[in-house]
Amino acid sequence: MTSRDVVLGRLRAALATGGAVPVEVPRDYQHTGTLDLDQLVERLTDYRAHVHRVAEAAVADTIAGILPVGATIVVPPGLPSAWLPPTVTALPDDGLDNARIGAADAVVTAAAVAIAQTGTVVLDGSPDQGRRVLSLLPDRHICVVRAGQVVATVPEALARLTPHRPLTWISGPSATSDIELIRVEGVHGPRHLHVVLLP
Protein backbone atom coordinates (compact mmCIF):
# COMPACT_ATOMS: atom_id res chain seq x y z
CA MET A 1 0.00 0.00 0.00
CA THR A 2 1.39 3.41 -0.98
CA SER A 3 1.30 6.62 1.04
CA ARG A 4 -1.24 7.91 -1.43
CA ASP A 5 -3.52 4.95 -0.72
CA VAL A 6 -3.21 5.56 3.03
CA VAL A 7 -4.15 9.24 2.72
CA LEU A 8 -7.06 8.56 0.38
CA GLY A 9 -8.26 5.75 2.66
CA ARG A 10 -8.31 8.09 5.65
CA LEU A 11 -10.20 10.71 3.64
CA ARG A 12 -12.80 8.15 2.54
CA ALA A 13 -13.24 6.93 6.10
CA ALA A 14 -13.69 10.47 7.42
CA LEU A 15 -16.22 11.32 4.73
CA ALA A 16 -18.15 8.09 5.31
CA THR A 17 -18.80 8.97 8.97
CA GLY A 18 -20.26 12.35 8.09
CA GLY A 19 -17.24 14.36 9.13
CA ALA A 20 -15.78 15.36 12.45
CA VAL A 21 -17.72 16.83 15.34
CA PRO A 22 -17.30 20.63 15.43
CA VAL A 23 -14.47 21.68 17.70
CA GLU A 24 -15.00 24.41 20.28
CA VAL A 25 -12.73 27.30 19.34
CA PRO A 26 -11.22 29.08 22.36
CA ARG A 27 -12.06 32.79 22.41
CA ASP A 28 -10.13 33.82 25.53
CA TYR A 29 -7.56 35.91 23.66
CA GLN A 30 -7.11 39.63 24.26
CA HIS A 31 -10.00 41.57 22.70
CA THR A 32 -9.14 45.10 23.77
CA GLY A 33 -6.05 47.00 24.75
CA THR A 34 -4.79 50.39 25.73
CA LEU A 35 -4.69 52.66 22.71
CA ASP A 36 -1.23 54.11 22.07
CA LEU A 37 -0.76 56.25 18.96
CA ASP A 38 3.00 56.21 19.51
CA GLN A 39 2.90 52.42 19.20
CA LEU A 40 1.21 52.74 15.81
CA VAL A 41 3.88 55.19 14.67
CA GLU A 42 6.65 52.92 16.00
CA ARG A 43 5.26 49.84 14.22
CA LEU A 44 4.70 51.65 10.92
CA THR A 45 8.21 53.13 11.04
CA ASP A 46 9.63 49.69 11.83
CA TYR A 47 7.93 48.44 8.64
CA ARG A 48 9.68 51.25 6.69
CA ALA A 49 6.64 53.46 6.28
CA HIS A 50 6.98 57.22 6.67
CA VAL A 51 4.67 58.72 9.28
CA HIS A 52 3.71 62.41 9.31
CA ARG A 53 1.81 63.62 12.39
CA VAL A 54 0.06 66.84 11.37
CA ALA A 55 -3.13 68.79 11.91
CA GLU A 56 -5.83 68.32 9.28
CA ALA A 57 -5.22 71.85 7.98
CA ALA A 58 -1.67 70.80 7.09
CA VAL A 59 -2.54 67.69 5.02
CA ALA A 60 -2.22 69.44 1.65
CA ASP A 61 1.13 71.01 2.60
CA THR A 62 2.38 67.63 3.86
CA ILE A 63 1.43 65.92 0.60
CA ALA A 64 3.09 68.75 -1.34
CA GLY A 65 6.28 68.08 0.64
CA ILE A 66 6.20 64.37 -0.18
CA LEU A 67 5.66 64.73 -3.93
CA PRO A 68 7.56 66.70 -6.55
CA VAL A 69 5.88 69.71 -8.14
CA GLY A 70 3.73 68.60 -11.05
CA ALA A 71 3.30 65.02 -9.78
CA THR A 72 0.21 63.15 -10.91
CA ILE A 73 -1.87 61.53 -8.19
CA VAL A 74 -4.87 59.24 -8.38
CA VAL A 75 -7.65 60.11 -5.94
CA PRO A 76 -10.79 58.16 -5.04
CA PRO A 77 -14.06 60.01 -5.75
CA GLY A 78 -14.86 60.77 -2.09
CA LEU A 79 -11.47 62.11 -1.01
CA PRO A 80 -11.71 65.60 0.57
CA SER A 81 -10.49 68.12 -1.99
CA ALA A 82 -8.94 70.22 0.80
CA TRP A 83 -6.28 67.50 1.20
CA LEU A 84 -4.95 68.06 -2.34
CA PRO A 85 -2.17 70.62 -2.86
CA PRO A 86 -2.27 72.89 -5.92
CA THR A 87 1.24 71.68 -6.86
CA VAL A 88 -0.03 68.28 -8.09
CA THR A 89 -2.35 67.10 -10.83
CA ALA A 90 -5.20 65.04 -9.41
CA LEU A 91 -6.75 62.25 -11.48
CA PRO A 92 -10.15 61.37 -9.99
CA ASP A 93 -10.88 57.68 -10.32
CA ASP A 94 -13.93 57.63 -12.55
CA GLY A 95 -13.06 54.16 -13.84
CA LEU A 96 -9.45 54.85 -14.79
CA ASP A 97 -7.76 51.93 -16.53
CA ASN A 98 -4.86 50.12 -14.89
CA ALA A 99 -2.28 51.72 -17.18
CA ARG A 100 -3.24 55.26 -16.10
CA ILE A 101 -3.38 54.27 -12.43
CA GLY A 102 0.02 52.55 -12.62
CA ALA A 103 1.59 55.52 -14.41
CA ALA A 104 0.58 57.95 -11.65
CA ASP A 105 3.26 59.12 -9.22
CA ALA A 106 1.09 58.35 -6.20
CA VAL A 107 -2.34 57.61 -4.82
CA VAL A 108 -3.89 59.45 -1.88
CA THR A 109 -6.55 57.68 0.17
CA ALA A 110 -8.20 57.80 3.54
CA ALA A 111 -8.53 54.68 5.73
CA ALA A 112 -11.26 52.74 7.51
CA VAL A 113 -9.26 51.80 10.62
CA ALA A 114 -5.67 51.44 11.85
CA ILE A 115 -4.34 48.98 14.44
CA ALA A 116 -1.68 50.20 16.86
CA GLN A 117 -0.40 46.81 18.03
CA THR A 118 0.27 45.55 14.50
CA GLY A 119 1.01 48.80 12.67
CA THR A 120 -1.69 47.98 10.14
CA VAL A 121 -3.90 50.32 8.14
CA VAL A 122 -7.12 48.86 6.71
CA LEU A 123 -8.98 50.18 3.67
CA ASP A 124 -12.55 49.02 2.99
CA GLY A 125 -13.33 50.48 -0.42
CA SER A 126 -15.37 53.43 0.91
CA PRO A 127 -15.63 56.47 -1.38
CA ASP A 128 -12.63 58.19 0.26
CA GLN A 129 -10.53 55.02 -0.18
CA GLY A 130 -11.62 53.83 -3.60
CA ARG A 131 -11.11 50.58 -5.44
CA ARG A 132 -8.45 48.15 -4.22
CA VAL A 133 -6.42 48.58 -7.41
CA LEU A 134 -5.73 52.22 -6.48
CA SER A 135 -3.65 51.14 -3.48
CA LEU A 136 -1.71 48.53 -5.46
CA LEU A 137 -0.50 50.03 -8.73
CA PRO A 138 1.06 53.46 -8.03
CA ASP A 139 4.59 53.31 -6.62
CA ARG A 140 3.69 55.59 -3.68
CA HIS A 141 0.64 55.40 -1.41
CA ILE A 142 -0.21 58.33 0.85
CA CYS A 143 -2.85 57.30 3.39
CA VAL A 144 -4.55 59.79 5.72
CA VAL A 145 -5.64 58.32 9.07
CA ARG A 146 -7.55 60.15 11.79
CA ALA A 147 -6.62 59.37 15.41
CA GLY A 148 -10.26 58.40 16.03
CA GLN A 149 -9.87 55.59 13.52
CA VAL A 150 -7.00 53.99 15.45
CA VAL A 151 -7.71 51.03 17.73
CA ALA A 152 -5.35 49.01 19.91
CA THR A 153 -6.04 45.43 18.77
CA VAL A 154 -7.10 43.36 15.78
CA PRO A 155 -10.41 42.25 17.40
CA GLU A 156 -11.31 45.92 17.94
CA ALA A 157 -10.58 46.61 14.27
CA LEU A 158 -12.68 43.66 13.14
CA ALA A 159 -15.59 44.94 15.22
CA ARG A 160 -15.48 48.23 13.27
CA LEU A 161 -15.24 46.63 9.83
CA THR A 162 -18.00 45.24 7.64
CA PRO A 163 -16.94 41.72 6.59
CA HIS A 164 -18.50 41.80 3.10
CA ARG A 165 -16.56 44.94 2.06
CA PRO A 166 -13.30 44.58 0.07
CA LEU A 167 -10.76 44.87 2.89
CA THR A 168 -7.13 45.71 2.15
CA TRP A 169 -4.75 45.31 5.12
CA ILE A 170 -1.51 47.28 4.80
CA SER A 171 1.47 46.95 7.13
CA GLY A 172 4.20 49.04 5.51
CA PRO A 173 5.29 49.24 1.89
CA SER A 174 4.92 46.15 -0.26
CA ALA A 175 7.87 43.84 0.34
CA THR A 176 8.90 40.25 -0.11
CA SER A 177 12.14 38.28 0.07
CA ASP A 178 13.79 36.39 -2.73
CA ILE A 179 15.27 32.91 -2.32
CA GLU A 180 18.41 34.38 -0.71
CA LEU A 181 16.23 36.29 1.82
CA ILE A 182 17.08 39.64 0.27
CA ARG A 183 14.25 42.13 0.81
CA VAL A 184 12.64 43.29 -2.43
CA GLU A 185 10.14 46.16 -2.26
CA GLY A 186 7.35 47.02 -4.64
CA VAL A 187 6.62 43.54 -5.99
CA HIS A 188 2.98 43.32 -4.90
CA GLY A 189 2.16 46.98 -4.35
CA PRO A 190 3.68 50.41 -3.63
CA ARG A 191 7.35 50.63 -2.64
CA HIS A 192 6.65 53.73 -0.56
CA LEU A 193 3.96 54.16 2.10
CA HIS A 194 3.33 57.52 3.78
CA VAL A 195 0.81 57.61 6.60
CA VAL A 196 -0.46 61.09 7.45
CA LEU A 197 -1.75 60.79 11.02
CA LEU A 198 -4.26 63.43 12.10
CA PRO A 199 -5.17 64.26 15.71
Side-chain angles (χ1 to χ4, degrees), residues 5-157:
D5 294 330
V6 171
V7 170
L8 290 176
R10 289 179 184 166
L11 288 171
R12 286 186 192 99
L15 292 172
T17 62
V21 177
V23 176
E24 183 68 28
V25 178
R27 304 283 184 194
D28 57 349
Y29 50 82
Q30 180 183 359
H31 290 271
T32 61
T34 303
L35 179 59
D36 183 356
L37 291 178
D38 291 333
Q39 184 181 41
L40 174 66
V41 172
E42 178 184 311
R43 295 287 195 276
L44 285 166
T45 303
D46 190 45
Y47 297 147
R48 299 187 185 180
H50 305 276
V51 180
H52 312 265
R53 294 180 86 163
V54 300
E56 185 158 1
V59 171
D61 288 341
T62 303
I63 292 172
I66 295 169
L67 299 171
V69 173
T72 301
I73 60 171
V74 175
V75 295
L79 194 80
S81 58
W83 290 356
L84 304 177
T87 56
V88 301
T89 301
L91 291 176
D93 179 33
D94 54 3
L96 294 171
D97 62 36
N98 290 351
R100 290 195 71 193
I101 296 169
D105 297 301
V107 60
V108 178
T109 70
V113 69
I115 308 165
Q117 285 185 350
T118 62
T120 304
V121 176
V122 185
L123 280 60
D124 70 359
S126 292
D128 59 358
Q129 298 154 53
R131 300 181 291 153
R132 186 166 192 257
V133 69
L134 300 184
S135 66
L136 296 176
L137 294 182
D139 194 43
R140 181 174 280 111
H141 181 184
I142 301 169
C143 186
V144 182
V145 178
R146 299 178 193 280
Q149 296 175 304
V150 181
V151 296
T153 66
V154 173
E156 288 174 285

